[in-house]
Amino acid sequence: SGVEKFGTQTTKGVVILAFRNGDKHHTGEKLVLHPTKQKTFDQVLALMTSTVKLPTGSVRKVYTPFGRPVKQLEDFHDKARYICCGAEKLNKEQMPLVLQEALARAKAKKQEQIQQQEDTTETKEEAEEETPTESSEPASEPEETKKEKFGVKTEKGKVIKVYRNGDKHHEGDRFVVHPKKYKTLDQLYADITSKVGVVTGPVRKLVYLKKDGTCTIISSFDDIIDKTRVLACGPAAPKVDMVHPSYFASVGDNKRRVKPAVDQNGPSVSTAPKSNTGTAKQRFGTKTDKGRIIYVFRNGDKHDAGTRIVIHDKKYKRMDQVYDEMNTKVGVVTGAVRKVYVPTGQIIKSLDQFDDGGVYICSGAEALKKDLFSEALVN
């Protein structure tokens, strides 16, 4: 415990990640608290004030992501995350997105542990009730009962490839659905939300989508078929024209024809996949492997010459990641980047709205200032 907790008995500093209260796009500031430099709690608050830079003034209070206040040096733990506040209250509604995702994973892990404990308790109670004897019949009976009870929950998990709904450039992410890892569909949704993400919010449903627009919603783990492709959706309906062409690369329906989805370069090739591949090349052009190059200008700055940014699907999964990149390379005088506009005034709300070679204007919470467009943008 002496190594993990903050105290003068250790020679190694405590590394923490400090977040700004009320700024959901803040990615955190790395701080090293060493007992030879920070001997009082006020010295830690002074370090956070100079590093985190609250818009409300000095840091006066520190909280854990769960809302517990930190009042002494011993409460800081290595590799932990904390929220810095001034005189204002902790704003849980505008908690940084990084902390929201971490809390969701922690909640899912806790539910999994509770479910495992319940399963262990049920197994012990069943073993006590069975009271096996020396004969061969009772020995074979529990094994049959086990097979009937667990069904498809074998040691081998089901491999699926999950695509993001509404993102025609997302090439899918591989997931192994194992009964020991996922006890409920909500746990699977939470994991897919953190790794794949959907532009409209958290994952609400998984579907098998066909080319004609019809879909089959996955309502249980039994509906998931090994080695198939699945579409992750939020509250919005599945979009056939906004899915990567590799989703439909297999012959026939993914739910019925499993093998072609795994071995797509096998010897049995029909005319339908060839036409699909040709359509993908003509439709996407260089946007499949090449990122989209955009030019970003600072709102209200007539002398800004513009900044070149490459939007690549493997680097940026969500809009807040693009905001962080614009904060670093472009910046706005009113604080963090909160909105991105096209010169006509339309707000960019999803990654697929960025066009290759497009021009955009980033701003904070203020409105677009058309009378203060950059000279380079006007010319």
Side-chain angles (χ1 to χ4, degrees):
S1 62
V3 178
E4 296 178 355
K5 288 188 176 181
F6 186 93
T8 57
Q9 71 273 22
T10 62
T11 57
K12 181 181 177 182
V14 176
V15 180
I16 66 172
L17 204 59
F19 290 84
R20 190 180 300 120
N21 182 38
D23 188 353
K24 66 178 181 179
H25 301 293
H26 190 225
T27 56
E29 302 291 343
K30 182 180 179 182
L31 301 178
V32 180
L33 307 182
H34 201 280
T36 59
K37 294 183 179 180
Q38 289 81 31
K39 297 182 179 181
T40 63
F41 191 74
D42 291 335
Q43 291 176 337
V44 177
L45 296 180
L47 176 62
M48 290 179 172
T49 299
S50 60
T51 307
V52 179
K53 299 178 181 179
L54 289 176
T56 56
S58 303
V59 176
R60 297 185 179 181
K61 295 175 288 185
V62 182
Y63 293 91
T64 66
F66 298 96
R68 292 191 292 269
V70 178
K71 297 183 179 180
Q72 56 185 355
L73 297 177
E74 289 76 12
D75 294 337
F76 289 105
H77 297 271
D78 193 26
K79 299 180 181 180
R81 303 174 183 182
Y82 300 93
I83 303 174
C84 301
C85 303
E88 75 281 1
K89 296 181 180 180
L90 178 64
N91 192 346
K92 293 185 178 181
E93 295 181 356
Q94 294 294 326
M95 184 176 293
L97 297 176
V98 178
L99 295 180
Q100 293 183 21
E101 295 175 357
L103 290 176
R105 290 194 296 268
K107 185 178 180 180
K109 186 176 180 181
K110 185 177 180 180
Q111 291 178 352
E112 182 179 354
Q113 292 176 350
I114 294 175
Q115 186 66 34
Q116 289 178 352
Q117 292 177 357
E118 292 178 354
D119 294 343
T120 304
T121 304
E122 291 178 359
T123 305
K124 290 182 179 180
E125 292 176 355
E126 292 176 358
E128 292 175 356
E129 292 176 358
E130 286 174 0
T131 59
T133 59
E134 296 180 357
S135 60
S136 58
E137 292 182 358
S140 60
E141 186 175 354
E143 185 176 355
E144 293 176 357
T145 306
K146 184 177 180 181
K147 290 181 180 178
E148 293 177 358
K149 179 181 178 181
F150 287 90
V152 296
K153 296 183 180 180
T154 58
E155 294 182 357
K156 181 181 178 183
K158 299 177 182 179
V159 180
I160 60 174
K161 197 169 185 180
V162 181
Y163 289 75
R164 187 185 304 119
N165 182 36
D167 188 352
K168 61 184 178 181
H169 305 299
H170 182 235
E171 299 179 0
D173 290 303
R174 182 179 180 272
F175 285 83
V176 179
V177 182
H178 200 282
K180 291 184 178 180
K181 184 177 182 181
Y182 305 107
K183 299 294 183 181
T184 63
L185 282 176
D186 291 335
Q187 294 176 355
L188 179 60
Y189 294 161
D191 196 15
I192 294 176
T193 300
S194 61
K195 295 179 181 178
V196 178
V198 181
V199 294
T200 56
V203 175
R204 300 286 181 85
K205 57 187 175 183
L206 300 175
V207 301
Y208 284 113
L209 181 64
K210 298 180 181 179
K211 289 184 179 180
D212 57 2
T214 60
C215 63
T216 303
I217 300 177
I218 296 176
S219 57
S220 66
F221 287 114
D222 295 337
D223 296 337
I224 299 177
I225 299 179
D226 190 21
K227 300 177 182 178
T228 53
R229 297 182 177 94
V230 181
L231 189 66
C233 306
K239 303 176 182 178
V240 179
D241 56 337
M242 295 296 291
V243 180
H244 194 273
S246 62
Y247 181 87
F248 300 108
S250 60
V251 181
D253 185 8
N254 280 339
K255 191 172 181 181
R256 297 182 179 180
R257 300 289 298 272
V258 178
K259 292 184 178 179
V262 180
D263 187 10
Q264 300 176 27
N265 298 323
S268 57
V269 180
S270 62
T271 57
K274 288 183 179 179
S275 62
N276 286 341
T277 306
T279 304
K281 290 182 179 178
Q282 296 174 2
R283 181 181 176 186
F284 284 86
T286 58
K287 291 185 180 179
T288 302
D289 298 326
K290 178 184 175 184
R292 288 164 285 172
I293 300 175
I294 64 173
Y295 296 89
V296 183
F297 292 83
R298 189 181 302 111
N299 185 35
D301 189 350
K302 298 179 64 174
H303 305 288
D304 185 18
T307 303
R308 180 180 180 270
I309 296 179
V310 181
I311 304 294
H312 202 286
D313 303 316
K314 293 184 179 179
K315 184 177 181 181
Y316 303 106
K317 303 291 186 182
R318 304 183 305 274
M319 279 296 295
D320 59 281
Q321 295 175 336
V322 178
Y323 293 155
D324 293 338
E325 184 71 10
M326 291 181 180
N327 278 326
T328 303
K329 294 187 175 181
V330 183
V332 289
V333 295
T334 56
V337 174
R338 300 289 179 84
K339 293 180 286 187
V340 179
Y341 294 90
V342 296
T344 57
Q346 181 184 0
I347 299 179
I348 301 296
K349 297 183 179 180
S350 61
L351 294 175
D352 56 345
Q353 290 182 272
F354 288 108
D355 295 326
D356 192 16
V359 177
Y360 303 93
I361 303 169
C362 64
S363 69
E366 75 279 4
L368 180 64
K369 301 177 181 179
K370 294 185 178 181
D371 55 335
L372 293 176
F373 273 179
S374 170
E375 296 177 358
L377 179 62
V378 174
N379 297 332

